[in-house]
Amino acid sequence: MKKKCWIVLCVVFMLSVAAGCGSKSMETMSDFASGESSMNAAIENEDYKNEGEIAAEEGITSENGLDGQVAAGRKLIRTVYLSLQTTEFDSVLSNLSEKTAELGGYIENSSVSGHSYYYNNTRYASYTIRIPTAELNQFVDVVSEIGNVTQKNESVEDVTLQYVDVESRKKALETEQERLMELLSSAENMEDLLAIESKLSEVRYELENYGSQLRMLDNQIDYSTVNVDVDEVERITETGEKSFFAEIKDRFGDSLYQVGRGIRSFVIGFLGSLPIIFVWVVIAAVVVIVVRSIRKKRKKKKE
């Protein structure tokens, strides 16, 4: 009878120990799950709040979209396109490089090309320049002075909502990462440890992704993009509205210029082709002499 009592007591003790460990494990996993759900809720709540705050500011409403007057503190990406004509091609390219370096910018991409030798000797250059946003207006003014601007376009993209959204998600994930680190330090079995480490890896990957997005946006916001096309020309195209007689005068001048260019091209082409013409004249003369000599010999034989 005593032996049976001892057996029953041992079984009861083992069951109580197992129940205690199980409840502790379930408590840890419950904390982990509740922490995860709370972080997700925090992300959604913070996104909703930030979007509401930004939308309430001047410049963005559900009716008018982006307002023409840019509000201070917004995250803006500015892009400018300029097309230039110049008769001093090398000087313009040199000035572009110098002014870019002077204002703290850099040339992201550049290409210089020339047309075919047989048609024209004018050249063409294309530049993609990154300029600090604070110096953008000054740079555009300088570029407009060193060449004749035939086209100018500017666009502004407001990425404030996108920036705030990414930033808030990143902060929420950082909070979740701290919570997971606390749970990791208190985990007492291998199953909980592996689950927490798996979730921690996902959070760290998302943090790196959001951090990369913020760095890219910061670069685009801090450094505006200026695309510059430079055409080498012989005559500058005058821009602006002209009167009736002024337009007739310009058309007449253009016609005279084209006639002069045609005569010039003919003379240059003729004089430049003299060596080739000389060779063909010599060949023709030799052929004529040979043919005549053959005919003379045939006449003598007939006689």
Side-chain angles (χ1 to χ4, degrees), residues 92-112 125-132 139 223-228:
V92 168
L93 297 191
S94 177
N95 288 335
L96 272 177
S97 300
E98 291 176 2
K99 198 61 183 179
T100 299
E102 180 182 336
L103 295 178
Y106 61 93
I107 298 175
E108 188 174 66
N109 186 30
S110 66
S111 64
V112 180
S126 178
Y127 279 76
T128 300
I129 303 173
R130 304 297 303 280
I131 294 292
F139 181 78
Y223 283 82
S224 297
T225 302
V226 182
N227 297 306
V228 183

mmCIF file of all heavy atoms in Angstrom, residues 92-112 125-132 139 223-228:
data_model
loop_
_atom_site.group_PDB
_atom_site.id
_atom_site.type_symbol
_atom_site.label_atom_id
_atom_site.label_comp_id
_atom_site.label_asym_id
_atom_site.label_seq_id
_atom_site.Cartn_x
_atom_site.Cartn_y
_atom_site.Cartn_z
ATOM 1 N N VAL A 92 32.123 75.997 -73.615
ATOM 2 C CA VAL A 92 30.901 75.709 -72.854
ATOM 3 C C VAL A 92 31.067 74.460 -72.010
ATOM 4 O O VAL A 92 30.694 74.430 -70.823
ATOM 5 C CB VAL A 92 29.702 75.561 -73.817
ATOM 6 C CG1 VAL A 92 28.497 74.976 -73.084
ATOM 7 C CG2 VAL A 92 29.328 76.914 -74.405
ATOM 8 N N LEU A 93 31.648 73.416 -72.580
ATOM 9 C CA LEU A 93 31.854 72.173 -71.817
ATOM 10 C C LEU A 93 32.803 72.405 -70.646
ATOM 11 O O LEU A 93 32.597 71.866 -69.547
ATOM 12 C CB LEU A 93 32.398 71.078 -72.726
ATOM 13 C CG LEU A 93 31.508 70.621 -73.881
ATOM 14 C CD1 LEU A 93 32.064 69.352 -74.514
ATOM 15 C CD2 LEU A 93 30.073 70.394 -73.429
ATOM 16 N N SER A 94 33.837 73.208 -70.872
ATOM 17 C CA SER A 94 34.774 73.517 -69.790
ATOM 18 C C SER A 94 34.081 74.292 -68.675
ATOM 19 O O SER A 94 34.277 74.002 -67.477
ATOM 20 C CB SER A 94 35.950 74.313 -70.349
ATOM 21 O OG SER A 94 36.834 74.686 -69.323
ATOM 22 N N ASN A 95 33.256 75.268 -69.030
ATOM 23 C CA ASN A 95 32.524 76.053 -68.029
ATOM 24 C C ASN A 95 31.541 75.187 -67.246
ATOM 25 O O ASN A 95 31.358 75.375 -66.037
ATOM 26 C CB ASN A 95 31.783 77.198 -68.699
ATOM 27 C CG ASN A 95 32.716 78.297 -69.173
ATOM 28 O OD1 ASN A 95 33.806 78.467 -68.638
ATOM 29 N ND2 ASN A 95 32.293 79.040 -70.188
ATOM 30 N N LEU A 96 30.899 74.247 -67.922
ATOM 31 C CA LEU A 96 29.968 73.347 -67.243
ATOM 32 C C LEU A 96 30.684 72.536 -66.161
ATOM 33 O O LEU A 96 30.205 72.422 -65.025
ATOM 34 C CB LEU A 96 29.332 72.392 -68.262
ATOM 35 C CG LEU A 96 28.057 72.850 -68.972
ATOM 36 C CD1 LEU A 96 27.625 71.803 -69.986
ATOM 37 C CD2 LEU A 96 26.934 73.123 -67.990
ATOM 38 N N SER A 97 31.826 71.974 -66.516
ATOM 39 C CA SER A 97 32.576 71.156 -65.553
ATOM 40 C C SER A 97 33.061 71.989 -64.379
ATOM 41 O O SER A 97 32.975 71.569 -63.215
ATOM 42 C CB SER A 97 33.763 70.482 -66.252
ATOM 43 O OG SER A 97 33.323 69.648 -67.302
ATOM 44 N N GLU A 98 33.579 73.189 -64.665
ATOM 45 C CA GLU A 98 34.098 74.055 -63.599
ATOM 46 C C GLU A 98 32.995 74.494 -62.647
ATOM 47 O O GLU A 98 33.176 74.469 -61.417
ATOM 48 C CB GLU A 98 34.791 75.267 -64.216
ATOM 49 C CG GLU A 98 36.085 74.938 -64.946
ATOM 50 C CD GLU A 98 36.683 76.162 -65.615
ATOM 51 O OE1 GLU A 98 36.089 77.260 -65.472
ATOM 52 O OE2 GLU A 98 37.736 76.026 -66.284
ATOM 53 N N LYS A 99 31.862 74.906 -63.185
ATOM 54 C CA LYS A 99 30.779 75.397 -62.333
ATOM 55 C C LYS A 99 30.172 74.265 -61.508
ATOM 56 O O LYS A 99 29.787 74.469 -60.349
ATOM 57 C CB LYS A 99 29.686 76.046 -63.200
ATOM 58 C CG LYS A 99 28.753 76.940 -62.403
ATOM 59 C CD LYS A 99 29.517 78.077 -61.762
ATOM 60 C CE LYS A 99 28.621 78.962 -60.900
ATOM 61 N NZ LYS A 99 29.392 80.044 -60.260
ATOM 62 N N THR A 100 30.125 73.072 -62.075
ATOM 63 C CA THR A 100 29.607 71.920 -61.334
ATOM 64 C C THR A 100 30.474 71.640 -60.110
ATOM 65 O O THR A 100 29.964 71.450 -58.995
ATOM 66 C CB THR A 100 29.563 70.675 -62.237
ATOM 67 O OG1 THR A 100 28.678 70.926 -63.343
ATOM 68 C CG2 THR A 100 29.063 69.470 -61.469
ATOM 69 N N ALA A 101 31.784 71.621 -60.308
ATOM 70 C CA ALA A 101 32.698 71.373 -59.190
ATOM 71 C C ALA A 101 32.662 72.516 -58.180
ATOM 72 O O ALA A 101 32.727 72.296 -56.969
ATOM 73 C CB ALA A 101 34.117 71.178 -59.723
ATOM 74 N N GLU A 102 32.527 73.742 -58.665
ATOM 75 C CA GLU A 102 32.513 74.913 -57.774
ATOM 76 C C GLU A 102 31.311 74.894 -56.834
ATOM 77 O O GLU A 102 31.422 75.293 -55.663
ATOM 78 C CB GLU A 102 32.492 76.185 -58.625
ATOM 79 C CG GLU A 102 32.488 77.474 -57.829
ATOM 80 C CD GLU A 102 32.416 78.701 -58.714
ATOM 81 O OE1 GLU A 102 32.819 78.601 -59.893
ATOM 82 O OE2 GLU A 102 31.942 79.750 -58.237
ATOM 83 N N LEU A 103 30.166 74.415 -57.310
ATOM 84 C CA LEU A 103 28.944 74.392 -56.495
ATOM 85 C C LEU A 103 28.785 73.103 -55.699
ATOM 86 O O LEU A 103 27.750 72.886 -55.069
ATOM 87 C CB LEU A 103 27.722 74.603 -57.390
ATOM 88 C CG LEU A 103 27.625 75.971 -58.074
ATOM 89 C CD1 LEU A 103 26.399 76.036 -58.962
ATOM 90 C CD2 LEU A 103 27.599 77.093 -57.034
ATOM 91 N N GLY A 104 29.785 72.240 -55.718
ATOM 92 C CA GLY A 104 29.727 71.024 -54.919
ATOM 93 C C GLY A 104 28.971 69.883 -55.562
ATOM 94 O O GLY A 104 28.583 68.934 -54.878
ATOM 95 N N GLY A 105 28.742 69.945 -56.870
ATOM 96 C CA GLY A 105 28.051 68.879 -57.571
ATOM 97 C C GLY A 105 29.022 67.925 -58.240
ATOM 98 O O GLY A 105 30.234 67.997 -58.055
ATOM 99 N N TYR A 106 28.476 67.030 -59.049
ATOM 100 C CA TYR A 106 29.315 66.080 -59.782
ATOM 101 C C TYR A 106 28.605 65.662 -61.066
ATOM 102 O O TYR A 106 27.373 65.730 -61.173
ATOM 103 C CB TYR A 106 29.641 64.855 -58.932
ATOM 104 C CG TYR A 106 28.444 64.046 -58.490
ATOM 105 C CD1 TYR A 106 27.983 62.957 -59.229
ATOM 106 C CD2 TYR A 106 27.751 64.374 -57.324
ATOM 107 C CE1 TYR A 106 26.892 62.217 -58.820
ATOM 108 C CE2 TYR A 106 26.651 63.642 -56.902
ATOM 109 C CZ TYR A 106 26.229 62.569 -57.651
ATOM 110 O OH TYR A 106 25.140 61.834 -57.242
ATOM 111 N N ILE A 107 29.408 65.272 -62.059
ATOM 112 C CA ILE A 107 28.871 64.820 -63.342
ATOM 113 C C ILE A 107 28.602 63.329 -63.244
ATOM 114 O O ILE A 107 29.519 62.532 -63.067
ATOM 115 C CB ILE A 107 29.843 65.134 -64.493
ATOM 116 C CG1 ILE A 107 30.041 66.646 -64.610
ATOM 117 C CG2 ILE A 107 29.326 64.558 -65.805
ATOM 118 C CD1 ILE A 107 31.080 67.056 -65.638
ATOM 119 N N GLU A 108 27.345 62.953 -63.337
ATOM 120 C CA GLU A 108 26.956 61.547 -63.211
ATOM 121 C C GLU A 108 27.157 60.790 -64.519
ATOM 122 O O GLU A 108 27.533 59.621 -64.518
ATOM 123 C CB GLU A 108 25.490 61.465 -62.784
ATOM 124 C CG GLU A 108 25.024 60.072 -62.427
ATOM 125 C CD GLU A 108 23.610 60.066 -61.885
ATOM 126 O OE1 GLU A 108 22.678 60.395 -62.650
ATOM 127 O OE2 GLU A 108 23.426 59.746 -60.696
ATOM 128 N N ASN A 109 26.941 61.468 -65.638
ATOM 129 C CA ASN A 109 27.085 60.822 -66.938
ATOM 130 C C ASN A 109 27.349 61.885 -67.992
ATOM 131 O O ASN A 109 26.817 62.993 -67.913
ATOM 132 C CB ASN A 109 25.812 60.027 -67.277
ATOM 133 C CG ASN A 109 25.969 59.215 -68.544
ATOM 134 O OD1 ASN A 109 27.067 58.781 -68.881
ATOM 135 N ND2 ASN A 109 24.888 59.018 -69.274
ATOM 136 N N SER A 110 28.181 61.564 -68.990
ATOM 137 C CA SER A 110 28.454 62.524 -70.066
ATOM 138 C C SER A 110 28.833 61.775 -71.332
ATOM 139 O O SER A 110 29.396 60.680 -71.282
ATOM 140 C CB SER A 110 29.587 63.487 -69.662
ATOM 141 O OG SER A 110 30.803 62.776 -69.537
ATOM 142 N N SER A 111 28.512 62.397 -72.457
ATOM 143 C CA SER A 111 28.895 61.831 -73.751
ATOM 144 C C SER A 111 29.052 62.970 -74.750
ATOM 145 O O SER A 111 28.282 63.936 -74.731
ATOM 146 C CB SER A 111 27.857 60.829 -74.255
ATOM 147 O OG SER A 111 26.616 61.464 -74.513
ATOM 148 N N VAL A 112 30.074 62.863 -75.610
ATOM 149 C CA VAL A 112 30.350 63.860 -76.644
ATOM 150 C C VAL A 112 30.491 63.122 -77.959
ATOM 151 O O VAL A 112 31.205 62.122 -78.050
ATOM 152 C CB VAL A 112 31.634 64.661 -76.338
ATOM 153 C CG1 VAL A 112 31.894 65.694 -77.430
ATOM 154 C CG2 VAL A 112 31.538 65.335 -74.977
ATOM 155 N N ALA A 125 26.877 67.227 -77.309
ATOM 156 C CA ALA A 125 27.238 66.706 -75.980
ATOM 157 C C ALA A 125 25.989 66.569 -75.134
ATOM 158 O O ALA A 125 25.046 67.362 -75.235
ATOM 159 C CB ALA A 125 28.233 67.631 -75.283
ATOM 160 N N SER A 126 25.990 65.527 -74.298
ATOM 161 C CA SER A 126 24.874 65.288 -73.377
ATOM 162 C C SER A 126 25.440 65.038 -71.988
ATOM 163 O O SER A 126 26.323 64.173 -71.820
ATOM 164 C CB SER A 126 24.053 64.086 -73.855
ATOM 165 O OG SER A 126 23.001 63.801 -72.949
ATOM 166 N N TYR A 127 24.938 65.779 -70.991
ATOM 167 C CA TYR A 127 25.434 65.685 -69.623
ATOM 168 C C TYR A 127 24.274 65.420 -68.656
ATOM 169 O O TYR A 127 23.188 65.987 -68.799
ATOM 170 C CB TYR A 127 26.119 66.990 -69.195
ATOM 171 C CG TYR A 127 27.540 67.151 -69.675
ATOM 172 C CD1 TYR A 127 27.810 67.485 -70.994
ATOM 173 C CD2 TYR A 127 28.612 66.954 -68.811
ATOM 174 C CE1 TYR A 127 29.112 67.623 -71.447
ATOM 175 C CE2 TYR A 127 29.915 67.095 -69.248
ATOM 176 C CZ TYR A 127 30.169 67.428 -70.574
ATOM 177 O OH TYR A 127 31.448 67.556 -71.013
ATOM 178 N N THR A 128 24.530 64.550 -67.677
ATOM 179 C CA THR A 128 23.633 64.386 -66.535
ATOM 180 C C THR A 128 24.410 64.827 -65.305
ATOM 181 O O THR A 128 25.397 64.195 -64.929
ATOM 182 C CB THR A 128 23.169 62.928 -66.380
ATOM 183 O OG1 THR A 128 22.476 62.528 -67.560
ATOM 184 C CG2 THR A 128 22.237 62.788 -65.183
ATOM 185 N N ILE A 129 23.971 65.927 -64.698
ATOM 186 C CA ILE A 129 24.717 66.567 -63.613
ATOM 187 C C ILE A 129 23.877 66.562 -62.346
ATOM 188 O O ILE A 129 22.679 66.852 -62.374
ATOM 189 C CB ILE A 129 25.106 68.010 -63.993
ATOM 190 C CG1 ILE A 129 25.929 68.004 -65.290
ATOM 191 C CG2 ILE A 129 25.877 68.688 -62.871
ATOM 192 C CD1 ILE A 129 26.216 69.387 -65.840
ATOM 193 N N ARG A 130 24.517 66.231 -61.207
ATOM 194 C CA ARG A 130 23.846 66.285 -59.902
ATOM 195 C C ARG A 130 24.379 67.496 -59.139
ATOM 196 O O ARG A 130 25.589 67.618 -58.908
ATOM 197 C CB ARG A 130 24.117 64.999 -59.109
ATOM 198 C CG ARG A 130 23.716 63.714 -59.826
ATOM 199 C CD ARG A 130 22.225 63.634 -60.081
ATOM 200 N NE ARG A 130 21.452 63.738 -58.863
ATOM 201 C CZ ARG A 130 21.252 62.724 -58.026
ATOM 202 N NH1 ARG A 130 21.776 61.533 -58.266
ATOM 203 N NH2 ARG A 130 20.503 62.891 -56.944
ATOM 204 N N ILE A 131 23.449 68.371 -58.774
ATOM 205 C CA ILE A 131 23.789 69.627 -58.109
ATOM 206 C C ILE A 131 23.064 69.704 -56.772
ATOM 207 O O ILE A 131 21.887 69.339 -56.679
ATOM 208 C CB ILE A 131 23.370 70.829 -58.984
ATOM 209 C CG1 ILE A 131 24.192 70.874 -60.268
ATOM 210 C CG2 ILE A 131 23.536 72.145 -58.243
ATOM 211 C CD1 ILE A 131 25.660 71.188 -60.047
ATOM 212 N N PRO A 132 23.754 70.166 -55.694
ATOM 213 C CA PRO A 132 23.038 70.365 -54.424
ATOM 214 C C PRO A 132 21.800 71.226 -54.639
ATOM 215 O O PRO A 132 21.856 72.255 -55.324
ATOM 216 C CB PRO A 132 24.082 71.076 -53.546
ATOM 217 C CG PRO A 132 25.396 70.625 -54.087
ATOM 218 C CD PRO A 132 25.192 70.483 -55.570
ATOM 219 N N PHE A 139 22.957 77.454 -60.483
ATOM 220 C CA PHE A 139 23.560 76.680 -61.563
ATOM 221 C C PHE A 139 22.778 76.858 -62.872
ATOM 222 O O PHE A 139 23.365 77.039 -63.943
ATOM 223 C CB PHE A 139 23.609 75.198 -61.182
ATOM 224 C CG PHE A 139 24.240 74.318 -62.223
ATOM 225 C CD1 PHE A 139 25.612 74.266 -62.370
ATOM 226 C CD2 PHE A 139 23.445 73.549 -63.059
ATOM 227 C CE1 PHE A 139 26.193 73.466 -63.334
ATOM 228 C CE2 PHE A 139 24.014 72.734 -64.025
ATOM 229 C CZ PHE A 139 25.396 72.689 -64.162
ATOM 230 N N TYR A 223 20.355 66.226 -53.833
ATOM 231 C CA TYR A 223 21.043 66.538 -55.086
ATOM 232 C C TYR A 223 20.031 66.486 -56.244
ATOM 233 O O TYR A 223 19.538 65.412 -56.593
ATOM 234 C CB TYR A 223 22.182 65.562 -55.351
ATOM 235 C CG TYR A 223 23.410 65.826 -54.519
ATOM 236 C CD1 TYR A 223 23.497 65.368 -53.209
ATOM 237 C CD2 TYR A 223 24.485 66.552 -55.031
ATOM 238 C CE1 TYR A 223 24.623 65.619 -52.434
ATOM 239 C CE2 TYR A 223 25.610 66.809 -54.264
ATOM 240 C CZ TYR A 223 25.674 66.337 -52.964
ATOM 241 O OH TYR A 223 26.781 66.587 -52.196
ATOM 242 N N SER A 224 19.758 67.655 -56.814
ATOM 243 C CA SER A 224 18.843 67.720 -57.951
ATOM 244 C C SER A 224 19.556 67.268 -59.222
ATOM 245 O O SER A 224 20.782 67.359 -59.343
ATOM 246 C CB SER A 224 18.333 69.150 -58.133
ATOM 247 O OG SER A 224 17.594 69.562 -57.000
ATOM 248 N N THR A 225 18.764 66.787 -60.179
ATOM 249 C CA THR A 225 19.310 66.296 -61.443
ATOM 250 C C THR A 225 19.107 67.339 -62.539
ATOM 251 O O THR A 225 18.000 67.836 -62.729
ATOM 252 C CB THR A 225 18.622 64.982 -61.855
ATOM 253 O OG1 THR A 225 18.801 64.008 -60.819
ATOM 254 C CG2 THR A 225 19.219 64.447 -63.143
ATOM 255 N N VAL A 226 20.198 67.662 -63.247
ATOM 256 C CA VAL A 226 20.133 68.605 -64.362
ATOM 257 C C VAL A 226 20.643 67.893 -65.619
ATOM 258 O O VAL A 226 21.804 67.481 -65.680
ATOM 259 C CB VAL A 226 20.984 69.863 -64.096
ATOM 260 C CG1 VAL A 226 20.847 70.842 -65.258
ATOM 261 C CG2 VAL A 226 20.577 70.528 -62.790
ATOM 262 N N ASN A 227 19.765 67.731 -66.600
ATOM 263 C CA ASN A 227 20.147 67.143 -67.887
ATOM 264 C C ASN A 227 20.407 68.280 -68.872
ATOM 265 O O ASN A 227 19.521 69.096 -69.134
ATOM 266 C CB ASN A 227 19.036 66.233 -68.410
ATOM 267 C CG ASN A 227 18.783 65.055 -67.488
ATOM 268 O OD1 ASN A 227 19.688 64.303 -67.147
ATOM 269 N ND2 ASN A 227 17.543 64.877 -67.071
ATOM 270 N N VAL A 228 21.627 68.318 -69.411
ATOM 271 C CA VAL A 228 22.026 69.402 -70.311
ATOM 272 C C VAL A 228 22.448 68.811 -71.653
ATOM 273 O O VAL A 228 23.331 67.944 -71.706
ATOM 274 C CB VAL A 228 23.188 70.229 -69.720
ATOM 275 C CG1 VAL A 228 23.534 71.394 -70.645
ATOM 276 C CG2 VAL A 228 22.834 70.749 -68.334
#
